[in-house]
Amino acid sequence: MHVLKFGGTSVGTTTNINSVISILQSYAKNSEVICVVSAVGGITDKLLNAGRLAQLGDESYNEGFEIIKTCHFQLFSELNPTTQNSLNTYLAEQLGQLKKLLDGIFLINELSPKTSDKLVSYGELLLSYIITETMQNRAIDVVRKNSQELIVTNSDFTKAEVNYEITNANIRNYFKAPKAITILPGFVSKSEDGEFTTLGRGGSDFTAAIIAAALEVNQLEIWTDVSGMFTANPKLVKQAFPIERLSYQEAMELSHFGAKVLYPPTVQPALNLNIPILIKNTLDPEANGTLITNHVNNGKNSVSGISNIDNIALLTLQGNGMVGIPGFSKRLFETLAQEKINIIFITQASSEHSICFGVSTNDALQSARAINKTFEYEISLKKLDALIVETGLSIVALVGDNMKNHQGISGKMFSSLGKNNINVRAIAQGASERNISAVIAEKDVKKALNALHESFFEEKTKQLNVFITGVGNVGERLILQINQQRKFLKDQLHINLRVIGISNSRKMYFDEDGINLTNWKTLLEKGQPATLEGFLHQIIVINKRNSIFIDITANQAVAEMYPAYLKQSIAVVACNKIAASSNFETYKTLKTLSRKYSVPYLFETNVGAGLPIIDTLNNLIASGDKITSIQAVLSGSLNFVFNNFNDSTKFHDVVKQAQAEGYTEPDPRIDLSGVDVARKILILARESGCEMNLEDIANKSFLTEANLNSDSVDDFYTTLINDEAHFQKLYQSAQSKNCQLKYVAEFNNGKASVGLKEIQLGHPFYNLEGKDNIVMFYTHRYPEQPMIIKGAGAGADVTASGLFADIIRVGSR
């Protein structure tokens, strides 16, 4: 004999019901089948809502009734297109009775628990009839039995307790006679006095378990719209996957903490008799599903699943008057029990100064009133504080039989949450070590579940969520590189890199599932107006784990936003060198925030574009080495200019060429004035451990006063033409000494300078070609022969590759 239960989504459409019928027919070929069905998905809520409206005297309850009526009529008609006789009798009669019940509630403005049970029972009764009638019209051997005639309870309406002695006898007597297929409505029952009762929300699972236990079947099957119980809610965690096997205890824990597939009391009757429970997918019958048995999970995974409960209120009773005084807990929990309020979460500090517990948000106000009344005397004497109530919270929980056999589970859990800026309000862990629960803000649930799932189930793959502002030349190349390398990153480095948000000075566009990088320009043009605050706000709202903000601008206002990003535990990767080269206190603050919030602030491309200059410097210092001096050519644009300038070219033309090929900033004065190089040597000096500001660097400019005082870019170019003789004189001086002109940055003994120098033959800088950069680090370990880093130091592709490398560094942490 098989006992199968089909949930609301499994019977919510004609297509799904036809799938249910096919499954039942397949099972019936080999044995008797008992099928327990829920109401159509959402109908129980619609019934309750119509009842509440009627109770409030709101005539729109009639509209609610019409929706319920139409749903069932339409379902019957679609399933039985050639048969209408039954539709005009039983179904119409039952719906008529439902309408009278709602009319009565409207007239007396009362909806008691007893009436509520009668009201909601119509969902299961109607659908069980429709399915049975449909199967009989198709000549399938099937009967319908009203569960209210089998399951007997007490009169605790809305969540009645089963009288198992009478119920089991009824079930066994009825099923003595063989029946091919029996359809039973779930959830519904009757009291010993013959009144309609229900088994609580989700009670259809309970009905199936009661039947299975009474008949001692080999297995209970729960059919739903997913392929078993998942490692996390698949609607929130796309990487979640079905769990093949769970123990009863694990299933109980997961179902208690919000796993909607299974209703918690369902497990108990099956557990008592060690009846396995198989969770199956109505829409994918061939999927394995999840098998729940008394088997304890001894597999390699320390955690079996992650679950959550939303709409939690955290209540705290605290005060010095509690310390060392027995009876406070008893009075507190007795008060809640008298109010019939379920406690979901409890924790108490060892100091006995406070007790913290969680209840449903819907029960928070009632709880507070009752508790404040119970402890009114102590509160008046200041021995206790008035109850503190916090709402907008959720519980996330790790569950697994095997957790007690693994060290560091809680540390790993809270580290993962902390790295993603998720504040934990309260913590609880049972002595069985099967569950670790944390109360967090409801807005952080999705991020928390994904972060925990990544930590415990996807250790080989880390997801990085990137937000890029400044998608000009360099930004475009970065997006191209990301698109080209995504498969490589996933296969080789186990990094799943997604671009979630992009912005230029006019528009910004976001896609929580990842922007399609093949047509990002079109999508950006369709985006919303861009603001710096709006971009940050949207990142916070999206609330993704492992978020990285990429700044590919030269904008000071953007740089000033870095602290706000770091405080949200959003990593910052900056091409923009303004922040790292601004006043020392700002630089120090950014470094401090990076450490405080355990989130990277990386700016490798500030010096040398794609060359690993800062990374190499940091590694030297981290390994205990000390920088004594730095000599460098750090401007690819200036190196390009002086490598291409000679007595047969004009300085103006070479600078124009450098700008056209993207080697200079849009305003070439930034490069030629030496300020850009000064910022770079300042950053290296600071990373070497020196406290220094930009004004401390000696900048020996090779430009004329007219060049430096030009009012605009066009004016600057005019002055270059006028001062050609000055530049030719510089060139001729170097040539006469067989030297090359190089713009050199130096740092030595705590002092730094930048300026044009004549480099003699044989010096490492002499043959520096094109737009290349070179840096020589003299250290305690490299006192005579320096460590040299050399390569292309300008250009969109190499700068983009430097940004890409920083993104990978974030992912590797």
Side-chain angles (χ1 to χ4, degrees):
M1 180 178 286
H2 285 93
V3 177
L4 288 71
K5 177 264 176 179
F6 291 90
T9 51
S10 294
V11 289
T13 66
T14 302
T15 300
N16 289 2
I17 290 176
N18 282 326
S19 295
V20 170
I21 292 172
S22 296
I23 292 167
L24 295 177
Q25 285 183 286
S26 174
Y27 274 67
K29 291 177 182 177
N30 302 314
S31 68
E32 294 178 57
V33 179
I34 300 171
C35 170
V36 177
V37 296
S38 297
V40 173
I43 285 296
T44 303
D45 286 335
K46 287 181 172 63
L47 286 163
L48 284 170
N49 188 53
R52 292 189 190 104
L53 290 171
Q55 179 190 17
L56 295 171
D58 187 337
E59 293 187 359
S60 62
Y61 80 89
N62 288 301
E63 297 172 13
F65 168 76
E66 288 299 325
I67 292 171
I68 296 166
K69 176 182 175 182
T70 301
C71 170
H72 289 90
F73 276 174
Q74 183 174 343
L75 203 58
F76 187 93
S77 298
E78 290 173 356
L79 289 165
N80 302 275
T82 61
T83 306
Q84 294 298 320
N85 291 336
S86 299
L87 176 64
N88 295 323
T89 55
Y90 179 85
L91 197 59
E93 178 186 327
Q94 291 298 309
L95 286 164
Q97 291 178 7
L98 171 59
K99 180 62 166 63
K100 290 179 181 178
L101 179 59
L102 288 168
D103 290 341
I105 296 169
F106 177 78
L107 289 172
I108 64 173
N109 300 123
E110 184 179 335
L111 181 59
S112 65
K114 178 179 176 180
T115 305
S116 178
D117 270 2
K118 186 172 184 179
L119 176 66
V120 296
S121 68
Y122 277 94
E124 277 74 10
L125 293 171
L126 289 169
L127 187 64
S128 61
Y129 165 77
I130 290 173
I131 292 176
T132 305
E133 189 72 12
T134 299
M135 295 176 72
Q136 288 176 345
N137 289 336
R138 297 178 187 181
I140 299 171
D141 187 4
V142 63
V143 295
R144 174 177 177 266
K145 180 65 175 176
N146 189 342
S147 302
Q148 292 169 324
E149 298 170 11
L150 299 176
I151 300 176
V152 178
T153 69
N154 64 8
S155 296
D156 190 0
F157 298 102
T158 73
K159 198 172 182 180
E161 292 184 13
V162 177
N163 183 323
Y164 283 101
E165 183 177 353
I166 300 173
T167 297
N168 289 344
N170 290 343
I171 293 169
R172 289 165 186 157
N173 287 334
Y174 177 75
F175 285 102
K176 280 181 180 178
K179 301 166 185 67
I181 302 174
T182 305
I183 306 295
L184 296 170
F187 180 52
V188 298
S189 50
K190 276 187 181 179
S191 71
E192 295 172 15
D193 298 329
E195 300 287 353
F196 287 6
T197 57
T198 61
L199 302 176
R201 293 301 298 268
S204 292
D205 287 355
F206 200 7
T207 301
I210 292 167
I211 300 293
L215 299 175
E216 299 185 27
V217 299
N218 293 327
Q219 183 170 278
L220 167 62
E221 297 185 14
I222 307 292
W223 289 73
T224 181
D225 61 344
V226 291
S227 299
M229 296 184 78
F230 278 62
T231 48
N233 184 343
K235 293 179 181 177
L236 299 178
V237 182
K238 290 191 175 181
Q239 289 75 28
F241 54 87
I243 306 168
E244 290 185 8
R245 196 178 184 97
L246 287 170
S247 70
Y248 290 121
Q249 289 76 17
E250 288 174 318
M252 286 280 278
E253 293 277 6
L254 285 171
S255 59
H256 173 71
F257 280 94
K260 305 298 183 185
V261 174
L262 195 66
Y263 182 57
T266 299
V267 181
Q268 199 61 49
L271 185 150
N272 292 340
L273 296 175
N274 287 333
I275 296 173
I277 302 172
L278 180 62
I279 312 295
K280 295 280 285 180
N281 188 348
T282 309
L283 308 180
D284 187 10
E286 300 304 315
N288 291 333
T290 299
L291 182 64
I292 302 169
T293 67
N294 63 355
H295 166 78
V296 176
N297 176 16
N298 289 314
K300 62 179 182 179
N301 281 346
S302 56
V303 175
S304 295
I306 307 166
S307 198
N308 68 286
I309 307 177
D310 294 330
N311 298 315
I312 294 295
L314 195 63
L315 281 62
T316 303
L317 185 66
Q318 63 183 20
N320 294 327
M322 294 174 59
V323 180
I325 307 299
F328 273 98
S329 298
K330 176 178 180 293
R331 291 171 62 195
L332 171 64
F333 298 128
E334 275 184 352
T335 298
L336 295 171
Q338 289 168 2
E339 297 291 325
K340 296 186 177 180
I341 293 171
N342 181 44
I343 300 173
I344 302 169
F345 176 101
I346 304 171
T347 184
Q348 181 173 14
S350 58
S351 65
E352 301 182 49
H353 181 267
S354 66
I355 299 176
C356 181
F357 56 97
V359 299
S360 169
T361 301
N362 295 332
D363 294 331
L365 184 59
Q366 182 183 354
S367 300
R369 286 172 178 168
I371 292 168
N372 283 332
K373 185 176 180 180
T374 297
F375 294 99
E376 185 176 12
Y377 178 70
E378 287 84 354
I379 293 171
S380 69
L381 295 178
K382 306 296 183 182
K383 290 184 177 181
L384 291 180
D385 299 334
L387 191 73
I388 300 170
V389 180
E390 300 172 72
T391 57
L393 302 173
S394 294
I395 297 174
V396 292
L398 298 184
V399 173
D401 286 332
N402 211 25
M403 285 166 54
K404 61 186 176 183
N405 298 322
H406 286 74
Q407 302 296 322
I409 299 296
S410 58
K412 188 175 180 180
M413 175 184 184
F414 298 121
S415 174
S416 178
L417 295 175
K419 286 178 181 177
N420 285 280
N421 198 34
I422 299 168
N423 185 39
V424 176
R425 291 291 301 111
I427 301 166
Q429 181 173 10
S432 68
E433 298 184 51
R434 188 179 287 117
N435 175 305
I436 304 175
S437 303
V439 178
I440 64 172
E442 197 166 315
K443 67 181 179 62
D444 289 329
V445 166
K446 185 175 181 180
K447 181 162 69 170
L449 292 177
N450 278 276
L452 293 172
H453 197 272
E454 184 176 85
S455 294
F456 289 96
F457 294 101
E458 309 165 45
E459 293 186 77
K460 290 186 177 179
T461 302
K462 185 173 186 177
Q463 184 166 293
L464 301 181
N465 298 295
V466 171
F467 301 83
I468 303 172
T469 191
V471 285
N473 196 17
V474 175
E476 182 176 351
R477 302 300 176 87
L478 175 61
I479 290 174
L480 178 64
Q481 291 175 15
I482 290 173
N483 199 31
Q484 289 174 339
Q485 291 297 108
R486 286 184 66 184
K487 186 176 187 304
F488 173 84
L489 292 177
K490 199 166 188 177
D491 294 344
Q492 301 299 320
L493 302 183
H494 307 298
I495 291 175
N496 182 23
L497 181 57
R498 302 188 307 178
V499 178
I500 306 297
I502 51 177
S503 175
N504 57 24
S505 59
R506 298 178 297 104
K507 297 280 189 177
M508 58 185 186
Y509 178 79
F510 299 87
D511 186 334
E512 290 191 38
D513 296 323
I515 294 171
N516 183 343
L517 299 184
T518 58
N519 67 331
W520 65 269
K521 290 183 180 179
T522 303
L523 294 171
L524 180 57
E525 286 304 311
K526 296 177 181 177
Q528 55 189 297
T531 65
L532 299 182
E533 294 77 13
F535 197 74
L536 171 60
H537 174 73
Q538 195 61 37
I539 297 174
I540 294 172
V541 169
I542 290 174
N543 207 17
K544 292 285 186 182
R545 71 193 188 282
N546 304 326
S547 291
I548 308 172
F549 171 66
I550 315 291
D551 177 13
I552 318 179
T553 73
N555 188 304
Q556 181 163 342
V558 177
E560 289 172 354
M561 297 288 292
Y562 295 175
Y565 281 98
L566 295 172
K567 288 176 182 178
Q568 293 293 329
S569 291
I570 299 168
V572 174
V573 171
C575 180
N576 184 348
K577 62 180 70 70
I578 291 175
S581 61
S582 59
N583 69 75
F584 185 78
E585 286 305 313
T586 298
Y587 166 85
K588 185 179 178 181
T589 296
L590 292 173
K591 288 283 191 173
T592 301
L593 289 173
S594 175
R595 290 190 296 270
K596 179 178 179 180
Y597 292 95
S598 301
V599 59
Y601 164 47
L602 302 178
F603 42 91
E604 182 66 77
T605 52
N606 282 192
V607 181
L611 296 176
I613 296 171
I614 295 176
D615 188 54
T616 302
L617 173 58
N618 288 336
N619 288 337
L620 286 170
I621 293 171
S623 67
D625 205 353
K626 182 175 177 60
I627 305 297
T628 55
S629 69
I630 301 171
Q631 295 180 26
V633 174
L634 294 172
S635 173
S637 54
L638 282 171
N639 201 43
F640 177 89
V641 167
F642 285 110
N643 279 335
N644 287 278
F645 175 57
N646 53 50
D647 54 6
S648 61
T649 62
K650 293 185 181 299
F651 194 74
H652 164 277
D653 296 341
V654 176
V655 175
K656 272 282 189 183
Q657 181 186 354
Q659 185 184 26
E661 295 188 22
Y663 297 140
T664 73
E665 298 290 344
D667 184 348
R669 290 175 295 180
I670 297 173
D671 298 275
L672 271 66
S673 68
V675 172
D676 189 61
V677 177
R679 289 184 184 277
K680 292 178 180 180
I681 194 65
L682 172 64
I683 291 169
L684 293 182
R686 286 175 170 178
E687 291 294 291
S688 301
C690 182
E691 183 174 334
M692 181 180 287
N693 283 308
L694 191 61
E695 55 268 24
D696 299 325
I697 298 174
N699 186 348
K700 305 165 187 175
S701 178
F702 66 88
L703 295 176
T704 68
E705 287 295 322
N707 303 153
L708 293 171
N709 296 325
S710 55
D711 296 326
S712 66
V713 174
D714 290 339
D715 184 34
F716 176 67
Y717 275 117
T718 300
T719 66
L720 293 184
I721 294 172
N722 295 336
D723 293 337
E724 177 64 22
H726 167 74
F727 300 111
Q728 285 294 337
K729 184 178 179 181
L730 294 174
Y731 173 75
Q732 292 298 335
S733 174
Q735 283 295 102
S736 68
K737 301 170 188 171
N738 197 25
C739 293
Q740 294 281 351
L741 289 172
K742 302 294 177 186
Y743 200 84
V744 177
E746 294 180 292
F747 171 70
N748 190 22
N749 294 324
K751 295 182 179 181
S753 64
V754 296
L756 192 65
K757 289 201 169 188
E758 296 175 344
I759 303 299
Q760 294 183 343
L761 181 67
H763 193 282
F765 294 174
Y766 185 87
N767 290 316
L768 196 65
E769 298 178 348
K771 58 184 181 297
D772 284 0
N773 281 187
I774 185 170
V775 177
M776 299 193 302
F777 289 123
Y778 289 89
T779 74
H780 285 176
R781 294 176 190 157
Y782 298 89
E784 297 177 359
Q785 295 297 322
M787 176 179 282
I788 298 177
I789 302 168
K790 178 181 176 182
D797 280 323
V798 293
T799 303
S801 70
L803 290 166
F804 205 156
D806 271 349
I807 294 171
I808 302 306
R809 288 187 185 98
V810 175
S812 300
R813 293 194 176 195

